[in-house]
């Protein structure tokens, strides 16, 4: 029996966004630590240009995780049967700013939004309870 490759269509893009949000959340402990240190609870990453805002978060360690998410997005989009052109792709992380206890900062929300040249938007969110922080 031969291995059959799945046919991916536009309806799968929502799943791509969800997967990227979850992937980012699994490795965002340093982002959470920086959020606590700078008292800046929100970070935005442009997944097309890899621009990270605010600037305090734009360091090599954080760019590596952002690039991994970008690579996943591009690899997934390349598998679509009908190619699409993204006009924007962003990841926004909002960290709870509770007093950290045992290396936890509180809940965090990770949202990925993808927009194409036809005006279609896909948005997915992932909540990480009791987000870890790591310097």
């Amino acid at each position: 029996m031969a291995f059959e490759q799945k046919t991916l269509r536009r309806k799968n893009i929502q799943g791509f966004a969800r997967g990227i949000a979850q992937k980012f959340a699994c490795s965002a402990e340093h982002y959470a630590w920086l959020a606590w240190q700078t008292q800046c609870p929100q970070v935005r990453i442009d997944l097309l240009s890899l621009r990270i805002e605010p600037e305090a978060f734009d360091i090599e360690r954080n760019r590596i995780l952002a690039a991994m998410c970008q690579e996943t997005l591009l690899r997934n989009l390349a598998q679509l049967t009908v190619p699409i052109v993204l006009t924007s792709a962003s990841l926004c992380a909002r960290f709870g700013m509770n007093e950290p206890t045992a290396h936890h900062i509180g809940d965090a929300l990770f949202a990925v939004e993808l927009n194409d040249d036809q005006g279609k938007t896909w948005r997915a969110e992932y909540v990480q309870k009791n987000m870890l922080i790591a310097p």
Side-chain angles (χ1 to χ4, degrees):
M1 177 184 214
F3 175 73
E4 293 183 33
Q5 186 172 3
K6 279 183 143 178
T7 302
L8 297 178
R9 304 191 191 292
R10 290 175 69 90
K11 67 180 181 180
N12 298 104
I13 297 173
Q14 182 73 29
F16 298 167
R18 188 178 314 104
I20 291 167
Q22 289 175 326
K23 178 178 190 151
F24 186 86
C26 289
S27 298
E29 294 89 358
H30 191 258
Y31 279 89
W33 181 80
L34 278 175
W36 175 254
Q37 290 297 310
T38 63
Q39 289 298 296
C40 181
Q42 186 165 313
V43 179
R44 186 181 175 286
I45 301 168
D46 183 316
L47 292 171
L48 299 179
S49 68
L50 292 182
R51 184 172 169 198
I52 301 172
E53 295 177 332
E55 192 174 324
F57 290 80
D58 191 10
I59 61 173
E60 184 64 24
R61 181 176 181 172
N62 291 347
R63 284 190 296 267
I64 291 169
L65 177 56
M68 288 170 50
C69 292
Q70 179 192 55
E71 290 168 15
T72 299
L73 174 62
L74 297 176
R75 184 175 54 248
N76 287 339
L77 292 175
Q79 295 179 53
L80 292 173
T81 55
V82 177
I84 70 162
V85 176
L86 289 182
T87 55
S88 67
S90 63
L91 188 152
C92 182
R94 279 181 259 146
F95 299 99
M97 299 303 283
N98 300 340
E99 186 69 35
T101 55
H103 306 290
H104 291 85
I105 194 172
D107 296 348
L109 172 70
F110 303 93
V112 173
E113 187 171 291
L114 309 173
N115 297 289
D116 73 4
D117 58 344
Q118 296 177 8
K120 176 73 176 167
T121 299
W122 296 269
R123 182 176 170 82
E125 294 181 348
Y126 178 77
V127 175
Q128 176 70 45
K129 299 284 187 185
N130 241 353
M131 182 74 202
L132 289 171
I133 58 174

